[in-house]
Amino acid sequence: GIYARAMDLDLNDPKVTDAVRANLAYDLIARDVDEDGTHFTQTVNKFQYHGFFMRDTSFIAHTYDLLNLQDVAGQTVDHYLIRDASGTVTGLRHDSPDDWGQSLWAIGAHFRATGDLAFAREVHPAIPGHLDDFVTAIKSDPLGLWPVAGPYDNELVNGHYTSHNLWALLGLKEAENLCRAVGDKANADRAHRYYVDFRKTFVNRLAQITAKDDGYIPPGLDDPLAGHDWENASGGVYPFGVFPPFHPWVTATVNMEREYKYREGIMTWGPNAWKGKVAAETGQDYDPLFLHDYDTFQVTETLLARDEQQKVIEDLYSTLVHTSSTHAGFETSIRPWSNRDPDGNFPPHGWFAARYNELVHNMLVREFDGAVHLCSALSPQWIAPGKTMTVERAATNSGVFSFTIHSTATGAVIDIDPKWKKPLPMILHFPWFVHVTSARAGNESFSTGKGEIELKPTVRQVVLKWRWTSHPDLSYARAVRIWLRKAYEPKPGEDMDHLFPTPTRPGLAEPETQFADRYELRLTSRSGEGIVHYTLDGSTPTRRSPVFGKPVTITKPCTVKAIEIWADGRTSDVMIAKLTKAVYVPAVKPAETPDPGGLAYQYYEADIKAMPDFASLTATRSGVAPRGDLDDIQHRAEIFAVQESGYVKAPTDGIYTFWTGSDDGSKLWIDGGLVVDNDGPHAYQEIQGEIALKAGLHTIRVAYWDSGGANYLRLFWKQPGSKKEHFSPDALLH
């Protein structure tokens, strides 16, 4: 019965449409009937997240509305309401630091989808007090922002969360709209005034931060390097509407996310994109941690609003590659290019389900800026010559839309069947892979030069004439083939961040950036599609810069910058590598012959909140760690420190790279010089450093501390001409 009235599709790609149907089922399955038998609690799934989460459910409820299931959405948002004994709404739920605006979006978006004034009047009594809570919250913060929160849930920021402020702004807009609908001008004006003032405060703070990070909107408003990317990755575009799609900060953010945060074609959950860019520009290793299936949609929805159609289709299919055989999406826990087992992070994930269906709906029908947009992003496969694609019952705030596209090699006929509640102009977007030569609706002809046409609400049929400019093979089947080849037969140096060929910054054939005598510069096109241009004087390369061909011999320190330019004019981000000349550190001669088989360690238990002064501590125990990893050392669950010392054997003269991977802080010294500084309270991350060593023994010291929660310490090195690897016990002595 639900499927008979929900949005349905035939897009000539069964994976896409089957995933829509399955993921609707996954969200419906996760609804629990309350004890009274008439109310429902939307959970995320029946396994790992069998509970109500406000941020997840706000999207799930919104997607029910988009899929033309307003009654189900209404049952879902009812859980946001607090009622007294008589059933009168007195307030909105408050479960976490960021849900002030989410609750307002949930009920406000549902009201806009239904236009149900009775619902607006029912929930209205909760709004004045909710606005009072907003005032109390921002008055408590010295910066006038949404108050500081600790490192919880998605962003793991210890400070001002960007997304909390985005949600507060969206909530204020919904509060104003609800109050105006029921005639409460005083509170509507109050919400509007709060919005204007708070947006100014937020934007001023963001201007200070983006001035430090090339315009990127980071997860936190205190330190652009802190936290994991989450709703900041949207650039504040969707669903927030805080910035227009082509705002410079939005452009910088989505481009940086796709360049530094994607792996296997989807987003990762780990250190943020700015941290990745800084690492790339300073020659540091950057570990993005885990794949995250639905975090990708934060970026893709903004790309859709920016009319970057090809990227949207690539993101869609890359995401589908990571779903199960029954189209279930996972959350995280999978390392890039490892196995595909999310371990205890059980699918199907209800938030993924909602956001996937939301994206597909919006690609086909979306209401934005006073118009209904049709066909914002279509795959070439869906409208291949001779094919007919069908969309039925896709809901918007202004009505429910059905349409069909009958395609040929030379054009298409589009039949539109809207059920208007509030007629609006319709914007029909042209696919990027065709050149439309004429467009006609009845007796009216349109100019086709802008890539879209505006239609009157009364239009029921559009006839397009076009010629295909390219036939890109963007499909689920191709995405699977690419993934399988890259997973099992990767080419040296190729782009492993994206699935489909994408202009991405060139790479160094060898990762080292130090040299003792001379450096043979070899640049690689990671995509295999473009031409690499480079400079050696620190200037930004252009298409007029030298084209890389043969290896270039470097004898003096310099800064290499390189870009990749494709035949269609698309250009990658800039690769930056600072090549420095190193002086060999001579080997040492210990007074006594050291014992092979690992590093000596001392283990400490104390109230540790930062890297300790080990001289002030007394070791609880000591021993030998064969590889120097924490796994080799017995330790308590949390809050402890370890110090390791001994010698590392360098087999030959050359440039050596050392890494520590730790949660929390760690440092590594070679011959008394700090080579790796991975200190500070943080989730697991790997930091590297290089040093030129003469063959022989060199002292090594490692310090590590844990402040609570997860704890890791792993040591790696790379010998000249070799690959990154763990230490073997025979390479370490004590």
Side-chain angles (χ1 to χ4, degrees), residues 397-443:
N397 297 340
S398 56
V400 179
F401 290 80
S402 300
F403 65 88
T404 59
I405 302 178
H406 309 277
S407 300
T408 69
T410 58
V413 176
I414 305 172
D415 293 305
I416 309 170
D417 181 20
K419 300 294 188 291
W420 290 109
K421 292 186 297 183
K422 180 183 65 175
L424 293 175
M426 296 182 290
I427 307 295
L428 176 64
H429 295 257
F430 300 156
W432 84 93
F433 46 83
V434 301
H435 174 66
V436 177
T437 56
S438 73
R440 182 171 48 84
N443 295 324

Side-chain angles (χ1 to χ4, degrees), residues 45-95:
N45 67 23
K46 296 290 186 179
F47 306 112
Q48 183 184 9
Y49 294 114
H50 188 207
F52 172 78
F53 296 87
M54 194 167 289
R55 184 149 47 171
D56 305 42
T57 301
S58 62
F59 280 97
I60 296 171
H62 182 54
T63 303
Y64 287 144
D65 275 323
L66 296 178
L67 301 188
N68 200 37
L69 299 173
Q70 287 82 15
D71 58 330
V72 180
Q75 294 165 349
T76 304
V77 300
D78 186 73
H79 196 73
Y80 286 75
L81 308 177
I82 298 172
R83 301 176 186 272
D84 62 17
S86 68
T88 300
V89 174
T90 59
L92 301 176
R93 279 184 180 270
H94 180 68
D95 298 329

Side-chain angles (χ1 to χ4, degrees), residues 215-410:
Y216 156 77
I217 299 175
L221 296 171
D222 306 295
D223 177 3
L225 291 170
H228 294 187
D229 288 305
W230 199 252
E231 277 138 350
N232 64 293
S234 72
V237 174
Y238 185 88
F240 308 103
V242 173
F243 299 114
F246 290 96
H247 190 287
W249 294 346
V250 176
T251 301
T253 301
V254 295
N255 288 346
M256 212 174 291
E257 299 293 354
R258 288 191 105 246
E259 180 70 23
Y260 296 97
K261 285 292 291 180
Y262 276 37
R263 298 293 186 273
E264 299 191 35
I266 64 174
M267 274 282 280
T268 51
W269 186 70
N272 68 49
W274 175 244
K275 196 160 192 173
K277 183 168 185 175
V278 170
E281 293 182 353
T282 56
Q284 292 288 324
D285 218 18
Y286 171 68
D287 184 356
L289 289 184
F290 304 105
L291 299 177
H292 200 298
D293 216 358
Y294 62 86
D295 200 7
T296 312
F297 300 129
Q298 318 277 16
V299 177
T300 312
E301 287 282 3
T302 297
L303 296 173
L304 186 67
R306 291 167 58 86
D307 199 32
E308 298 192 49
Q309 299 179 32
Q310 183 170 345
K311 292 179 181 178
V312 171
I313 299 299
E314 291 173 355
D315 281 7
L316 174 74
Y317 283 124
S318 297
T319 300
L320 285 173
V321 164
H322 295 86
T323 57
S324 71
S325 59
T326 53
H327 321 297
F330 71 101
E331 185 185 42
T332 186
S333 297
I334 301 176
R335 297 282 287 172
W337 301 108
S338 61
N339 64 35
R340 293 169 62 85
D341 180 5
D343 196 19
N345 204 297
F346 299 117
H349 197 284
W351 198 353
F352 169 90
R355 297 229 61 179
Y356 171 78
N357 282 347
E358 175 191 44
L359 174 64
V360 174
H361 170 280
N362 291 346
M363 290 166 62
L364 301 168
V365 180
R366 64 187 175 95
E367 189 169 323
F368 173 72
D369 202 19
V372 172
H373 293 250
L374 304 177
C375 305
S376 293
L378 302 180
S379 167
Q381 179 170 327
W382 303 351
I383 56 170
K387 298 287 188 180
T388 297
M389 65 163 275
T390 303
V391 176
E392 298 182 55
R393 301 180 296 276
T396 70
N397 297 340
S398 56
V400 179
F401 290 80
S402 300
F403 65 88
T404 59
I405 302 178
H406 309 277
S407 300
T408 69
T410 58

